[in-house]
Amino acid sequence: MRESSPSAPEIVETEGQPRLNRRQAAKVRTRQKVLDAARALFAERGYDAATIRDIAKGAGMSTGAVFANFQDKAELFEAVFAEEMEGLLADIRGAATEGRVLDRLANGLTAGYHRSLDHLPLMQAMVARSWFQPEDADQRSRAFVRPLVEAVAEALQAGVREGELRQDVDVALVARMIWDVFISNYRFAAYDNWGIEELTPHIRKQLDLILSSQLARQ
Amino acid sequence: MRESSPSAPEIVETEGQPRLNRRQAAKVRTRQKVLDAARALFAERGYDAATIRDIAKGAGMSTGAVFANFQDKAELFEAVFAEEMEGLLADIRGAATEGRVLDRLANGLTAGYHRSLDHLPLMQAMVARSWFQPEDADQRSRAFVRPLVEAVAEALQAGVREGELRQDVDVALVARMIWDVFISNYRFAAYDNWGIEELTPHIRKQLDLILSSQLARQ
């Protein structure tokens, strides 16, 4: 998910900041180590049962070192969540480039499954938390999900522009439904051992069902 | 949700057991008191943060009295979950009786929202837990959800039988999608303050979108 530039891997996480001195670079590495330990523990235990103490232990640090980087568990979870959603967005966008609307969306969302199936428990912990979190945490996490729903909406809008979909498609409604269905399918992966072989035709059938009434009459 | 028979309210929960002596009746009341306290605490804190200790406190009992009725927190949660799903099923079925498929489903699912909006945090806690629970707990909770998805499937099958829907509708796929969408909408209630006025037209639009390609050509 981290797009690593091979020549300078240690400055990857700094979002365009040009150069880091040794101390700054160490800080970035520490932060990433904490994030990685947090990802692993949230995936193992879910949000509530994960403790800062055990995250610190997983990162080989003191809790003080964790708190030097993150105010509390909620902020740490949010950073992991943001990282995950950014990666998912990049993968979905990257794969949703060719063909008709249905193909673009099916390929994009399948790429999303591809990326997250190897850390499915983290996805589960994230969806679980999205259902039971304080209002302000929801507002923030929603800001990270919005671009993903918008990516679906853009694919639909392109379909409208190109005359493949009807002019009166309720893009917001359809995009949100597709997103909800996409997320719901992770349950089959989690509890029915569905792999990419099952998820791929399934999301395609669902997209077909949702979109077929929205196709422009040819 | 409990369908109370006014003459003998204390034996309502016993599922058709004919008569209770005084001691048995007291046991049933105790069990229900624990369940009600558990419902309240799960709704307030979610599954993980709720403790048997505080559930017992809420019921005005010792933890020993709680453990005399339920083996552990997971079993207690499951009993609350089962009670909720049974009530939801009764309400959905009760309202999904008249009109065309779309009307039946829209009325049924709207009745479901009606019933659960006044204890929305409990629904949220339940959905959250459904995403992050042990495999065996999932298997059991799924058994309580299955009749609900089947109720949706039956409405679809009736539509096929009566010639309203196409003969080749993938009933299992469509029913599951409708269920997933129905559940996903609770998020709008939880975090966007949607009430029944917003949810009713929304689920109808979604049903329309899902079903319109499945209508038999008239």
Side-chain angles (χ1 to χ4, degrees):
Chain A
M1 152 194 47
R2 282 157 255 138
E3 320 238 319
S4 58
S5 136
S7 59
E10 76 278 12
I11 66 165
V12 164
E13 306 299 324
T14 60
E15 293 170 41
Q17 210 171 304
R19 248 185 236 188
L20 296 178
N21 63 32
R22 190 176 297 244
R23 197 173 136 188
Q24 288 168 321
K27 199 169 159 59
V28 167
R29 278 196 303 273
T30 301
R31 193 184 144 89
Q32 191 59 46
K33 246 161 107 178
V34 175
L35 279 180
D36 291 343
R39 279 173 71 89
L41 203 70
F42 288 135
E44 189 188 320
R45 299 195 193 161
Y47 179 81
D48 286 280
T51 63
I52 292 279
R53 195 196 176 101
D54 287 333
I55 290 169
K57 206 171 152 190
M61 291 174 196
S62 67
T63 55
V66 173
F67 284 123
N69 285 277
F70 299 94
Q71 205 181 329
D72 54 21
K73 188 168 72 168
E75 192 185 310
L76 194 43
F77 186 82
E78 214 167 285
V80 172
F81 186 80
E83 204 180 46
E84 184 64 23
M85 291 303 119
E86 280 166 21
L88 199 53
L89 179 62
D91 287 3
I92 290 177
R93 271 194 199 287
T97 51
E98 307 233 336
R100 299 171 65 81
V101 178
L102 178 70
D103 296 317
R104 266 179 290 191
L105 285 170
N107 293 341
L109 297 176
T110 299
Y113 289 135
H114 248 295
R115 134 186 207 87
S116 36
L117 280 185
D118 76 338
H119 50 271
L120 189 56
L122 182 69
M123 284 300 291
Q124 291 175 247
M126 287 176 169
V127 180
R129 168 103 173 127
S130 79
W131 276 95
F132 204 85
Q133 65 185 342
E135 180 87 31
D136 56 336
D138 180 74
Q139 291 301 327
R140 287 190 305 269
S141 71
R142 174 182 292 222
F144 299 118
V145 173
R146 194 169 299 127
L148 286 147
V149 182
E150 279 169 7
V152 175
E154 281 161 25
L156 295 171
Q157 270 148 358
V160 173
R161 256 196 327 272
E162 293 158 17
E164 191 184 339
L165 297 181
R166 285 161 42 179
Q167 295 295 314
D168 64 349
V169 173
D170 186 338
V171 170
L173 179 81
V174 176
R176 182 73 215 191
M177 257 181 77
I178 290 174
W179 177 255
D180 286 339
V181 162
F182 168 73
I183 293 294
S184 298
N185 290 344
Y186 278 104
R187 277 190 61 82
F188 300 118
Y191 293 114
D192 297 293
N193 292 314
W194 280 23
I196 202 74
E197 307 73 28
E198 289 84 14
L199 287 167
T200 302
H202 193 69
I203 188 75
R204 186 169 268 276
K205 274 194 224 161
Q206 291 169 318
L207 286 166
D208 194 37
L209 195 64
I210 293 173
L211 295 178
S212 59
S213 65
Q214 305 301 306
L215 295 174
R217 309 219 162 191
Q218 306 281 316
Chain B
M1 154 194 46
R2 284 158 254 139
E3 319 237 319
S4 58
S5 135
S7 60
E10 76 278 13
I11 65 165
V12 165
E13 306 300 323
T14 59
E15 293 170 40
Q17 208 171 308
R19 247 184 236 191
L20 297 178
N21 63 31
R22 192 177 296 243
R23 197 173 135 188
Q24 288 167 321
K27 200 168 158 60
V28 168
R29 277 196 303 271
T30 302
R31 193 183 144 89
Q32 192 58 46
K33 244 162 109 177
V34 175
L35 279 180
D36 291 343
R39 281 173 70 89
L41 203 70
F42 288 136
E44 189 188 320
R45 298 195 194 160
Y47 180 81
D48 286 280
T51 63
I52 292 278
R53 194 196 176 102
D54 287 334
I55 290 169
K57 207 171 150 190
M61 292 174 195
S62 67
T63 56
V66 173
F67 284 123
N69 284 278
F70 300 94
Q71 205 181 332
D72 55 20
K73 188 168 71 169
E75 193 186 308
L76 195 42
F77 186 82
E78 215 168 284
V80 172
F81 186 80
E83 203 180 46
E84 184 64 23
M85 291 304 119
E86 280 165 21
L88 200 53
L89 179 62
D91 287 4
I92 290 177
R93 271 195 199 288
T97 51
E98 306 235 337
R100 299 170 66 81
V101 178
L102 178 71
D103 296 316
R104 265 179 290 192
L105 286 170
N107 293 341
L109 297 176
T110 300
Y113 288 134
H114 247 296
R115 132 186 209 87
S116 35
L117 280 185
D118 75 338
H119 50 271
L120 188 56
L122 183 69
M123 285 300 291
Q124 291 175 247
M126 286 175 170
V127 180
R129 168 103 172 128
S130 78
W131 277 94
F132 204 85
Q133 65 185 342
E135 181 86 32
D136 56 336
D138 180 74
Q139 292 301 328
R140 287 191 306 269
S141 70
R142 173 182 293 223
F144 299 118
V145 174
R146 195 169 298 127
L148 286 148
V149 183
E150 279 168 7
V152 175
E154 282 160 24
L156 295 171
Q157 270 149 356
V160 173
R161 258 196 327 273
E162 293 159 16
E164 192 184 339
L165 297 181
R166 285 162 41 180
Q167 296 294 316
D168 63 349
V169 173
D170 186 338
V171 169
L173 180 81
V174 176
R176 183 72 214 189
M177 258 181 76
I178 290 174
W179 178 254
D180 286 340
V181 163
F182 167 72
I183 293 295
S184 297
N185 291 343
Y186 278 105
R187 276 190 61 81
F188 300 119
Y191 293 114
D192 297 294
N193 291 314
W194 280 23
I196 202 75
E197 306 73 26
E198 288 84 14
L199 288 166
T200 302
H202 193 69
I203 188 74
R204 184 169 270 275
K205 273 193 224 162
Q206 291 169 319
L207 285 167
D208 193 38
L209 195 64
I210 294 174
L211 294 179
S212 59
S213 66
Q214 305 301 307
L215 295 174
R217 308 221 163 189
Q218 306 281 317

